[in-house]
Amino acid sequence: MSKLKFILSGGGTGGHIYPAVAIADELKRRHPDAEFLFVGAQDRMEMQKVPKAGYKIEGLWISGIQRKLTLQNLAFPFKLLSSLRKSRKIIKNFQPDVVIGTGGFASGPLLKVANQKNIPTVLQEQNSFAGITNKWLANQADKICVAYAGMEKFFPKEKIRFTGNPVRQDLIEIQNKENEAEAYFNLIPNKKTVLVIGGSLGAKRVNELIEANLSYFEANNLQLVWQTGKLYFEKYKKYQSANVQVHEFLDRMDLAYSAADMIISRAGAGSVSELCMVAKPVVFIPSPNVAEDHQTKNAMSLVKEEAAIMLKETELEEKFQQEFSALISSETLQQKLSANILKLAKPNATKDIAGEIEKLIKKN
């Protein structure tokens, strides 16, 4: 049997990139001789993050459509035609057995060409509200792996597989890494650690909250591992100190999660799935600037199970210190949140998605 060949496409944000990497890692574990190629947008973060994960990547000249009239919108038809041409060339040269899309604009033209060539395609949708690209591709996809119930309102019901979101293996195996994490982040031993994560680009409102409460954290004998995101690092790096570790990006999320006693996070689908596996007490601050307010829905699905705390951006000044003080002062509450969030984890999501992909290969 000839070597299997997989193309994976998804990017723009970590929420699209890391599921693709997790799926590739699982397929590589099952098929060590297989060949892998990623396809992303040539000016987005996947062009750096995917090679760091050990995979080759090709870039397309593609971007999304802005809501208002811009020069970027006027260029979109030309970018789409360019990306379709390059996608045809990539697929002709690589000859994949399956093409997998995890969302993001680059996956659109690539999977459209794969469908035209009758190559099996699989979509992986992380969110409770489906992305534009996956909705555009859904009718021609062979299978659509989802993480939330009720996705038939976006996709053909017969194609849906309820798998959960892929989580990288290193995040599943964070136990017994506390000493390594402490050394990696230069943390003070026996001091409680708060991990702050706002997404790869950063979260303006979350960063403002942390800045406003630095003296509060210090007064409560807490140290921070604070991921500001790419857009905000220059503004907040001045707060770097023995008690405050300021990072643009966290390359070792396994160690960051291992070090954390409590976590403050946005509620993107990928983050929620990871945090269920990590099983630490979480305060979610959902972004209100997303389609259908799906981050609030993501967070509320955990709050209803007494598995997390949620604070809306509009109530941070009024409630943050009150809610956080209640959390740090109660071991019982911390243990309850940790136990309940773990019940919602789907540790086999990546394996189940890989299994669905393998079924397509056997079928063809």
Side-chain angles (χ1 to χ4, degrees), residues 1 3-9 23 27 31 34-39 90-91 94-101 110-111 114-115 118-123 141-143 145 353-364:
M1 184 178 176
K3 286 183 182 179
L4 292 174
K5 294 184 176 183
F6 300 98
I7 292 183
L8 299 98
S9 185
I23 293 167
L27 289 169
H31 306 282
E35 292 183 41
F36 294 85
L37 178 66
F38 279 67
V39 175
I90 288 170
I91 286 174
F94 193 75
Q95 295 288 308
D97 294 284
V98 181
V99 178
I100 302 133
L110 186 85
L111 271 80
N115 288 328
N118 294 316
I119 296 167
T121 60
V122 176
L123 301 180
D142 291 275
K143 293 181 181 180
C145 297
I353 293 167
E356 294 293 340
I357 293 166
E358 286 179 328
K359 289 175 190 174
L360 277 180
I361 298 169
K362 292 172 184 175
K363 185 178 176 182
N364 286 273

Side-chain angles (χ1 to χ4, degrees), residues 123-127 129-131 134 144-147 151 155 165:
L123 301 180
Q124 196 274 317
E125 175 58 56
Q126 300 93 38
N127 289 296
F129 189 86
N134 279 351
I144 306 167
C145 297
V146 303
M151 297 303 287
F155 303 132
N165 278 324

